[in-house]
Amino acid sequence: MKFKTPILPGRLAALLLALLPVASRGAGQLNLFGWSEYVPQPVLEGFTRETGIKVNFETYSSNEEMLAKLVAGGGRYDLVQPSDYTAEAMIRRKLLQPLDRARLTGLGNLAPEFTGRAHDPEGRYTVPYMSGSVGIVVNTEKVKTPVRGYRDVFQAAHRDRIVVVNDSRELVSWALYALGQPVNTVDPASLARVRPLLAEWIKLVKVFDSDSPKTALLNGDVDLGVVWSGEAALLWRENRKFQYLLPAEGAHQFVDVLAIPAGARNVAEAHRFMDYILRPEVSRQISAAFPYTNPNAAARRLLSPDELANPASYPSGGKLESFRDIGRAAADIDRLVTDLKSAK
Ligand code: SPD
């Protein structure tokens, strides 16, 4: 047999490797791009110990940051962790690839209310990771006036004593709720309406922090804020003086998901990680470190009564609403908030 180009042992090995199904190629690696303060290190280590797959973990602080880096990165990431409304936009823009659900043996562990949701009705592209809300946290030793809604937080009396998540869509939604406007139908007219109110509010804020808004409260640098529920849950665990409430005007409920970008290279590894996360005992570990609302019913059964009684992790009542993909208005929101912050 004659070869035009001699096949050297190395090239032969590479050729055989390319013919093997990805799953049987042995330990690979996984480039995971996730939210900061959300994926416990022991979970990453447990996955590597069991599978031999090395996890390269990078973090982001907003959906917008993730999207920008993903689009610029050209196949650098194998698994991302967008919020539901951002996943919806990514599906629409063909930035995600369909999942091979046969490889996700733990899907049945999910609570039914976290499946079939509007961002991905058939669960073709996404697997819920954690859910949560965005609400008000108050240091009740410092704030003695009643706080029920956004307008009670953004008072001149609280100037420079407020922390908020650094997230444009969230900030704009609070002003929309306060004005009784819809948060999922955003246009230039509704943004013009929120502008003066938000301009006032932004001037009162001391700290914008999406990574660890609890820190400013714990350090006593601020007295109240609007933060991710998981951060408020950690505060409550630390000291019951930190009370969480869902703003009376309405609040955002998010479901953050795992999804595989269209250009991902380590697709088998990404599925393996998703399936690992779906295991009750692994998902339970995530709840212990970052006590958001766990969408995994089997994992929830493993939580302690104390964990389930945390009012930030599992709030009762409240007018909760999901965000939807609002298309180009998302960029208008970003511009508005950047503008108002620079005028602060
Ligand atoms: N540190 C983890 C924060 C997760 C927040 N996800 C929801 C963001 C919605 N804008």
Side-chain angles (χ1 to χ4, degrees), residues 132-276:
S133 52
V134 184
I136 298 172
V137 65
V138 180
N139 177 342
T140 54
E141 282 179 3
K142 297 284 183 183
V143 177
K144 297 295 180 188
T145 50
V147 178
R148 296 193 188 90
Y150 302 106
R151 287 185 191 270
D152 303 320
V153 172
F154 299 103
Q155 290 280 325
H158 302 312
R159 178 183 294 276
D160 282 335
R161 304 301 301 163
I162 301 170
V163 58
V164 298
V165 291
N166 196 12
D167 188 297
S168 303
R169 178 91 191 257
E170 300 293 350
L171 277 156
V172 166
S173 77
W174 309 335
L176 287 166
Y177 277 126
L179 293 171
Q181 298 286 310
V183 294
N184 284 319
T185 320
V186 180
D187 55 26
S190 62
L191 290 184
R193 276 194 289 275
V194 297
R195 190 181 180 104
L197 183 63
L198 201 54
E200 284 312 305
W201 288 5
I202 282 178
K203 285 188 194 135
L204 302 172
V205 173
K206 178 161 186 192
V207 180
F208 292 89
D209 182 1
S210 283
D211 296 320
S212 183
K214 64 181 170 304
T215 303
L217 283 143
L218 276 174
N219 292 345
D221 295 337
V222 296
D223 302 328
L224 74 174
V226 188
V227 303
W228 316 127
S229 56
E231 290 279 307
L234 288 168
L235 286 165
W236 192 79
R237 209 157 79 175
E238 182 76 21
N239 192 321
R240 302 285 152 102
K241 72 181 177 189
F242 294 113
Q243 295 283 324
Y244 183 71
L245 64 121
L246 293 172
E249 302 95 327
H252 176 205
Q253 180 191 41
F254 55 82
V255 181
D256 294 327
V257 301
L258 290 170
I260 307 180
R265 299 194 179 108
N266 301 302
V267 172
E269 289 80 354
H271 279 88
R272 238 173 135 185
F273 187 80
M274 283 193 268
D275 206 34
Y276 185 74

Side-chain angles (χ1 to χ4, degrees), residues 43-116:
V43 166
L44 300 177
E45 286 162 6
F47 175 72
T48 300
R49 221 175 13 255
E50 180 176 311
T51 62
I53 298 168
K54 178 175 178 260
V55 183
N56 306 311
F57 184 38
E58 268 183 56
T59 61
Y60 52 84
S61 313
S62 71
N63 285 300
E64 294 71 25
E65 179 189 348
M66 180 274 293
L67 261 182
K69 289 192 177 153
L70 177 76
V71 170
R76 199 160 110 218
Y77 303 113
D78 301 312
L79 201 54
V80 290
Q81 198 179 33
S83 300
D84 41 10
Y85 58 98
T86 303
E88 185 181 14
M90 293 171 84
I91 295 168
R92 201 164 281 167
R93 289 172 59 186
K94 303 206 182 321
L95 293 173
L96 297 180
Q97 57 177 280
L99 303 176
D100 180 353
R101 287 172 61 90
R103 297 194 212 186
L104 302 173
T105 59
L107 282 173
N109 293 329
L110 292 168
E113 64 269 31
F114 291 101
T115 62

